[in-house]
Amino acid sequence: METVFWESPFVLDPPPAAVERHGDVDLHVPTGDGRHPAVVVVHGVPGPPDAPDARDWPLYRGYGALLAEAGVLAAIPRLTVASPDDMYAVAARVADAAAQLRADPRVDPDRLGLWFFSGAGLLLGDWLRDPPAWLRGVAATYPLLAPLPGWPPVDPRFRPIDALDPPADAVVDAARGEGATRPAEGAARPAEGAARPALVLTRAGRERPEVAPTIEAFTAVARRRGIPLHVVDVPNGQHGFDALDHTEESRAAVRTARDTLLTLLTTP
């Protein structure tokens, strides 16, 4: 019988970390005293309707342990998306998880990162558009970076490419309180090379055909805008390679992404 994705083992075998469940957020806690850098792990959304809580998947428990092994306190919030309107609540949940980490006495509040997976890549826009000073780096692994054809209308807030390179006549309509954009007279583009967190982007060579173009378009815009971009390629990997392709190539890619993000968190 074929193993379903959410039961597939993680490609690495880091030592298990202590896990604390605080409501809808799991904390994977490293050993050692003092304040640690921290990462919010944003699991893929929407998940299969019959899948269990993603916090219990071997894949995400593996990432939590992998980060804790490196001295990083990882938070994994439970996220549920059934329709495009749920993205607002999910975005708020990610922000709440970051605030929870920053308030934890075991965390250095000025050294946080975010790590997005699969469909959660649509949430990147908020953090690229107006990044807080404490956000040291962002990682995205086989992310969806633009809504797919045929989807219901998606708020421009959830179009990460627009966050990097918005139309010249677009501004944030603060009155709506949703971060959506609409045409306005005289709006300016962000300055070339404006301060944004560095990105660690992991690309699967055998990516799904509907996802791959969004990654390529995003990568082209990020490079054109001069945004720091660290690309980790997995030429023979498929979407979900970190659970599906148990190869040395996959293992090396996961380690490289983790270590690159860790460098961004710890560089003075």
Side-chain angles (χ1 to χ4, degrees):
M1 183 175 178
E2 185 178 355
T3 302
V4 294
F5 182 75
W6 57 82
E7 294 177 352
S8 299
F10 188 44
V11 295
L12 294 171
D13 189 25
V19 180
E20 302 173 0
R21 179 154 289 184
H22 299 271
D24 282 342
V25 178
D26 278 10
L27 299 181
H28 294 249
V29 184
T31 59
D33 298 327
R35 290 182 175 257
H36 302 275
V39 169
V40 180
V41 174
V42 189
H43 67 73
V45 292
D50 53 342
D53 188 336
R55 295 176 298 169
D56 294 326
W57 297 11
L59 174 64
Y60 295 114
R61 292 185 73 87
Y63 273 106
L66 187 72
L67 287 163
E69 179 187 38
V72 177
L73 202 157
I76 307 179
R78 182 184 184 185
L79 308 171
T80 303
V81 172
S83 74
D85 287 344
D86 292 333
M87 294 294 286
Y88 301 111
V90 168
R93 193 72 199 92
V94 173
D96 288 346
Q100 180 177 334
L101 274 180
R102 297 191 70 230
D104 193 304
R106 296 167 293 186
V107 168
D108 182 338
D110 295 321
R111 296 185 182 276
L112 261 71
L114 299 164
W115 197 339
F116 297 88
F117 293 81
S118 193
L122 294 178
L123 300 170
L124 265 169
D126 284 353
W127 304 96
L128 297 175
R129 190 177 295 107
D130 187 21
W134 47 258
L135 183 59
R136 294 298 192 94
V138 174
T141 294
Y142 44 80
L144 178 62
L145 294 169
L148 297 177
W151 277 22
V154 174
D155 192 313
R157 172 181 174 181
F158 304 115
R159 297 175 181 270
I161 292 176
D162 289 352
L164 292 183
D165 196 19
D169 60 351
V171 294
V172 173
D173 183 355
R176 291 184 62 186
E178 299 172 349
T181 56
R182 64 171 52 174
E185 192 72 27
R189 296 172 182 263
E192 199 73 33
R196 289 190 176 97
L199 301 169
V200 184
L201 176 61
T202 301
R203 303 186 300 190
R206 295 162 56 208
E207 181 58 86
R208 295 174 183 172
E210 69 273 22
V211 175
T214 76
I215 296 175
E216 293 309 308
F218 179 90
T219 302
V221 171
R223 285 178 168 155
R224 177 163 55 82
R225 300 293 294 170
I227 293 167
L229 184 64
H230 306 271
V231 176
V232 181
D233 279 319
V234 193
N236 299 297
Q238 58 189 312
H239 193 95
F241 71 88
D242 40 7
L244 299 176
D245 302 320
H246 284 246
T247 65
E248 186 52 41
E249 179 183 78
S250 295
R251 290 186 283 271
V254 172
R255 290 192 198 98
T256 297
R258 189 273 312 265
D259 293 347
T260 305
L261 181 59
L262 180 62
T263 297
L264 297 175
L265 297 179
T266 56
T267 298

